[in-house]
Amino acid sequence: MSVSLQQHASLQPFHTFGTEARAAWMAVADSVDALRSLRMDARVRDLPWLILGGGSNVLFASDFEGLVIRMAVRGVEEVDGDTDAWRIRVGGGENWSDVVARLLHSDRPGLENLAGIPGTGGAAPIQNIGAYGVELAERLHSVTVWDGRHDVLHELSPEECEFGYRDSVFKRDGGGSGLPGAELAGPGRVVVAITLRLPRRWAAVAGYAELERELRARGEERPGPREVFDAVLAIRGRKLPDPAVLGNAGSFFKNPIVSREVHAELLAHAPSLVSYPLAGGRYKLAAGWLIDACGLKGYTRGRAGVFEKQALVLVNRGGASGREIWELAQEVQERVRERFGVCIEPEPRIIGG
Ligand SMILES: Cc1cc2nc3c(=O)[nH]c(=O)nc-3n(C[C@H](O)[C@H](O)[C@H](O)COP(=O)(O)OP(=O)(O)OC[C@H]3O[C@@H](n4cnc5c(N)ncnc54)[C@H](O)[C@@H]3O)c2cc1C
């Protein structure tokens, strides 16, 4: 089998910031055999690899001097479940939000809080996607990973994926590529499929404040999956920019986690600080609040900006370069650090940052 390779390919149509960037090489992989064939190809096998799903969690601050592989492994099928739960295997290239809608329509609820998140099934475990009180890890049976270094397939349990808040073992080892560092060039770990675990006994997860408010406003005292799904999509539609209209990657910064002492000190200086207590006495701070408190909501630098409705989101106001967006992100980080002494880390993968 051979896979066609494109040289000096434009990445602009394949990521949601919509900035111009080029890949030295680009290919589409719709199977493990396609990945194997690329692994054998002398033109690209020793270059850095970058797996791209929907491109909704990457920022190209520069061109990519390696091989970009667009993930296109398809398929959504029910596999042997048990009496407690359905198991659904989803190809790494499937569109996540379509899968959520499709499963809901076929009476396989459980993912409605994660409705409307852009991107692919294969990328979902990379940062353990989460929204409105649910994280992927809670609905996952296993992750099927092709280890390109040794050309073997592994089935990883959620424990082996070491999931955390917007974090997993894949993020720490460079995701689907050998980045960063030339010593890691060549294929890394590629998620070719995930197997979901959806409990047959459905219970609404509706305790997240914003979702609770929305459901109440809709008069939903005892919401079913469809009502939660609709409410989640309505909230998202109001507060997040549509990447087709305004380039963005959703939340650009992770909410920082601080010790009890740091939290108390911050609160003494900023009594309206928004934070959430965590187990073990630590606190998660609302990064959007920190940015807003620095007066940066709606701020524009060149052709990049901080979204007016939600300070956590950076946007391409039209024609921005990836470098411009990255410079804005660094300025936001610096301003928050100066004012609060807290470091806010980017959530998306930064290429060439
Ligand atoms: C408007 C908007 C709203 C968003 N809302 C949320 C939200 O509510 N919650 C949330 O968690 N995220 C959210 N995101 C971020 C994003 O949608 C998710 O992180 C999503 O899972 C990224 O999927 P993708 O296919 O676009 O990944 P990409 O951006 O293509 O890739 C992201 C990273 O994963 C790696 N990767 C991708 N596919 C694979 C694979 N098959 N194997 C190995 N590595 C891979 C890439 O190399 C890269 O490092 C939002 C983004 C946008 C634009």
Side-chain angles (χ1 to χ4, degrees):
M1 161 179 228
S2 81
V3 176
S4 83
L5 273 166
Q6 196 187 339
Q7 213 168 353
H8 307 304
S10 170
L11 294 166
Q12 195 170 26
F14 305 118
H15 68 105
T16 58
F17 264 120
T19 57
E20 183 49 283
R22 297 211 162 245
W25 296 92
M26 184 161 72
V28 178
D30 60 4
S31 64
V32 172
D33 282 344
L35 292 165
R36 288 193 172 116
S37 140
L38 291 165
R39 182 180 187 266
M40 303 300 289
D41 193 312
R43 291 170 294 177
V44 294
R45 67 180 173 215
D46 299 322
L47 297 178
W49 283 30
L50 175 70
I51 309 299
L52 202 57
S56 62
N57 214 20
V58 285
L59 172 65
F60 289 97
S62 71
D63 290 341
F64 185 69
E65 301 302 335
L67 169 66
V68 166
I69 300 176
R70 289 171 43 222
M71 169 50 60
V73 175
R74 305 304 296 262
V76 179
E77 54 169 342
E78 202 160 324
V79 290
D80 50 331
D82 52 43
T83 49
D84 296 335
W86 290 290
R87 279 190 204 153
I88 319 281
R89 189 177 158 93
V90 176
E94 287 288 338
N95 179 285
W96 173 260
S97 85
D98 289 352
V99 170
V100 174
R102 208 165 131 185
L103 290 173
L104 184 71
H105 290 308
S106 54
D107 292 325
R108 303 286 184 268
L111 300 174
E112 45 291 327
N113 297 58
L114 303 176
I117 299 181
T120 51
I126 304 297
Q127 75 153 358
N128 182 23
I129 54 169
Y132 304 103
V134 173
E135 287 186 340
L136 177 78
E138 299 162 59
R139 301 284 184 270
L140 199 67
H141 171 71
S142 60
V143 177
T144 310
V145 171
W146 177 70
D147 172 353
R149 230 159 271 292
H150 307 102
D151 187 16
V152 280
L153 282 166
H154 294 290
E155 196 79 12
L156 302 186
S157 67
E159 292 71 37
E160 288 171 305
C161 295
E162 298 174 20
F163 288 123
Y165 161 63
R166 301 294 183 273
D167 196 29
S168 74
V169 71
F170 309 113
K171 243 187 163 176
R172 292 191 286 276
D173 75 5
S177 83
L179 280 182
E183 76 281 5
L184 283 173
R189 293 208 266 192
V190 182
V191 176
V192 290
I194 59 174
T195 303
L196 300 164
R197 183 181 185 282
L198 305 178
R200 289 176 196 263
R201 228 177 241 260
W202 182 86
V205 180
Y208 193 90
E210 217 175 346
L211 180 57
E212 204 173 28
R213 268 199 304 277
E214 176 70 23
L215 288 164
R216 209 173 320 117
R218 291 164 167 250
E220 300 294 352
E221 297 286 313
R222 294 166 59 87
R226 159 59 66 182
E227 287 70 39
V228 175
F229 177 85
D230 289 344
V232 165
L233 289 187
I235 303 171
R236 298 185 72 92
R238 279 201 304 268
K239 74 171 207 193
L240 289 167
D242 176 357
V245 179
L246 203 57
N248 75 92
S251 303
F252 196 91
F253 297 102
K254 298 208 278 188
N255 292 320
I257 294 171
V258 298
S259 66
R260 189 197 315 255
E261 294 72 30
V262 170
H263 179 255
E265 209 173 298
L266 287 168
L267 210 53
H269 291 98
S272 56
L273 174 76
V274 176
S275 61
Y276 315 93
L278 300 175
R282 300 201 302 162
Y283 284 82
K284 191 190 269 186
L285 310 179
W289 185 92
L290 297 172
I291 298 167
D292 198 3
C294 294
L296 290 169
K297 198 191 253 185
Y299 174 68
T300 295
R301 175 180 170 136
R303 291 163 295 177
V306 179
F307 189 47
E308 288 70 17
K309 292 190 201 164
Q310 166 57 278
L312 213 44
V313 177
L314 300 188
V315 295
N316 176 355
R317 296 209 189 277
S321 66
R323 175 59 48 189
E324 264 178 300
I325 294 170
W326 182 226
E327 280 167 7
L328 169 67
Q330 289 172 293
E331 181 181 342
V332 171
Q333 278 180 314
E334 190 50 33
R335 299 268 294 269
V336 168
R337 205 185 52 75
E338 270 170 17
R339 169 96 193 260
F340 296 104
V342 172
C343 172
I344 50 172
E345 282 173 32
E347 187 184 293
R349 171 83 168 272
I350 314 295
I351 305 297

